Amino acid sequence: MAAFGTVFMPEMAISWFDGSGWSPSEMVSSNSLQLHPGAHVLHYSSTCFEGLKAFRHADGSINIFRMDKNLERFAQSSRLLSLPAINKDATQKMILDAVARFADDVPEPPGSMYIRPTHIGTEPAIGKAAAPTQTSCQYILLSPVGDYFSGGDTTLRLLLEENGMRCATHMGMIKSGGNYASALRPIMQAKQDLKADQVLFCPNGDVQETGAANFLLIDGDEIITKALDESFLHGVTRDSILTIARDMGMKVSERQLSVAELLERAAKPECEAALSGTAAVLTSVGTLLHKGNEYKVGNGGVGTTTLKLRQALNDIQWGKAEDTHGWLTRV
Ligand SMILES: Cc1ncc(COP(=O)(O)O)c(C=O)c1O
C-alpha cells in the first residue's frame, strides 16, 4: 500500500472567491493549480484544511462520516484565519460531487477515501502581512487510503514535551498548515533522538495533543481527556469515541490532565492510552518517554478497551452497526 495520502484521484472539485462571490464548482485536474508566486497563502500562510473519510458498505453504498462536523470546523478555521467566509452548503455539494465522481474508487474497509477540503488565500499581495487576502480558492482532494499507522497491532512511543508547544495557544483549534510546520522540529528531534513516534505536547504539564491526533487516557471504565478550549484541535474522532464510550456506559471525564497524574495512572496494569484522529482512528500508546525515563502504559500492549472502542467506531463507519447518531451521509 502506498504511503497515506500520496495517491490522488485525477480530478478535484474547485471554486474561487473573487472578492465578492464564489464561482460555481468545477471538476478540474488535480495535478496542478495555478497561483501567483505572490499569493497570500505562500507568504502569510492563509490556509486551512479538513480531513474526513468516505466508506464503502457491503451493499455497495458510499457513506461520508460526520461531514457536518468537518464543515463546521472548516468554516470556523476560515473565519478565525480571516479568510473569506465559506458557504457550508456549497462546500458540502463540492464534497458530495467529488466523492460521487470517484465512488468506484472508494476502497473496501479497512480502507477508505480520505477527503481533503482545502482553503487558501490567493491574492497576489506581498505587502499584506497584517491584512487579509481578498481572494481565495477552495478545492476538494481525494485520496484512497489504508491504515495511517501501518500494522494496527503495534503501539506508539510518545515523548511528553512539557516545555515546547505545538502552536500558539490561540491557533490550536484552527486546522491550519502553520500549526503543523510549527510542530515539525520537535517531532523530528524526538524521532531522531528517542525513536519516538510522536510528541505529546504538554505545555506546563497540561496534557494536550500530539502533532496530528488527540490523546485519550483509558483507566478502567473511565476515559480522561482534555476539556475543549482554544488551545488544541477539537477532533471529530475524539467526539465520536467519547459519545460511543458514554453509550457503552463508560464514564467520560473532560478535564485537565497533568503529566504527573498521567504517569501515575499509566503505571496501573489495566491502564490504556490512545491517539484519536481521522487518520489514526484509535491507535494504542504503549510507551511514554519523560525526562530520560521510559514508562509503559499498563502492560505496554494494545488495550482491550481501546480495541473495543475502535471496533465500535469502525462498525458504524463500515455499516456493520446501526448509525444511531446519524453520523453517515449516503453519497
Ligand atoms: C492536531 C490534530 N489534533 C487532532 C486531530 C484529530 O482530529 P479529527 O478526529 O477530527 O481527525 C487532528 C487531525 O486529524 C490533528 O491534526
Side-chain angles (χ1 to χ4, degrees), residues 51 70 73 166 175 180 209-214 233-238 276-279:
N70 289 92
R73 196 170 63 186
R166 174 180 170 254
K175 199 162 168 72
Y180 297 83
E209 66 176 336
T210 66
N214 293 121
L233 198 76
H234 302 179
V236 176
T237 316
R238 171 191 178 283
S276 73
T278 298

Side-chain angles (χ1 to χ4, degrees), residues 75-327:
Q76 174 177 274
S77 294
S78 298
R79 183 169 51 76
L80 295 175
L81 289 168
S82 303
L83 275 159
I86 66 155
N87 172 335
K88 280 189 279 180
D89 290 342
T91 304
Q92 170 164 310
K93 186 164 183 315
M94 288 171 76
I95 293 172
L96 289 169
D97 287 352
V99 174
R101 172 75 148 251
F102 293 103
D104 289 348
D105 298 286
V106 176
E108 299 275 349
S112 60
M113 185 67 87
Y114 184 78
I115 306 166
R116 172 55 65 89
T118 310
H119 188 190
I120 56 174
T122 53
E123 186 180 354
I126 55 173
K128 281 198 147 185
T133 184
Q134 291 304 307
T135 61
S136 70
C137 171
Q138 251 186 98
Y139 53 84
I140 315 290
L141 282 171
L142 299 180
S143 175
V145 296
D147 267 343
Y148 183 56
F149 294 111
S150 50
D153 288 342
T154 55
T155 60
L156 301 175
R157 284 165 65 83
L158 299 191
L159 170 66
L160 307 183
E161 170 59 65
E162 291 188 72
N163 299 319
M165 300 201 297
R166 174 180 170 254
C167 62
T169 306
H170 69 288
M171 294 293 288
M173 64 193 267
I174 309 175
K175 199 162 168 72
S176 183
N179 289 346
Y180 297 83
S182 151
L184 202 49
R185 200 152 53 104
I187 294 171
M188 297 301 291
Q189 195 122 37
K191 284 186 178 178
Q192 191 185 316
D193 298 350
L194 300 165
K195 294 191 168 34
D197 295 298
Q198 303 278 331
V199 172
L200 178 56
F201 291 94
C202 310
N204 301 316
D206 175 34
V207 177
Q208 197 182 56
E209 66 176 336
T210 66
N214 293 121
F215 180 80
L216 307 174
L217 186 70
I218 303 168
D219 189 355
D221 71 349
E222 182 179 12
I223 297 195
I224 304 168
T225 193
K226 187 171 166 61
L228 297 179
D229 66 21
E230 68 172 9
S231 71
F232 73 108
L233 198 76
H234 302 179
V236 176
T237 316
R238 171 191 178 283
D239 182 78
S240 308
I241 291 289
L242 296 187
T243 303
I244 289 169
R246 281 189 198 98
D247 289 351
M248 287 177 169
M250 290 181 72
K251 177 177 175 198
V252 173
S253 301
E254 293 180 77
R255 62 164 169 85
Q256 203 104 345
L257 173 66
S258 68
V259 168
E261 183 183 351
L262 168 59
L263 292 176
E264 193 187 315
R265 287 188 186 257
K268 298 193 216 168
E270 71 279 8
C271 195
E272 303 175 23
L275 296 186
S276 73
T278 298
V281 189
L282 195 62
T283 302
S284 279
V285 174
T287 307
L288 302 172
L289 309 169
H290 184 245
K291 294 193 173 155
N293 296 314
E294 269 192 48
Y295 303 88
K296 290 259 167 285
V297 180
N299 63 17
V302 177
T304 50
T305 305
T306 303
L307 279 181
K308 201 169 76 174
L309 289 165
R310 180 186 172 121
Q311 191 63 52
L313 175 64
N314 280 153
D315 283 350
I316 296 171
Q317 293 173 326
W318 298 345
K320 292 181 172 171
E322 200 189 335
D323 175 22
T324 52
H325 297 284
W327 285 344

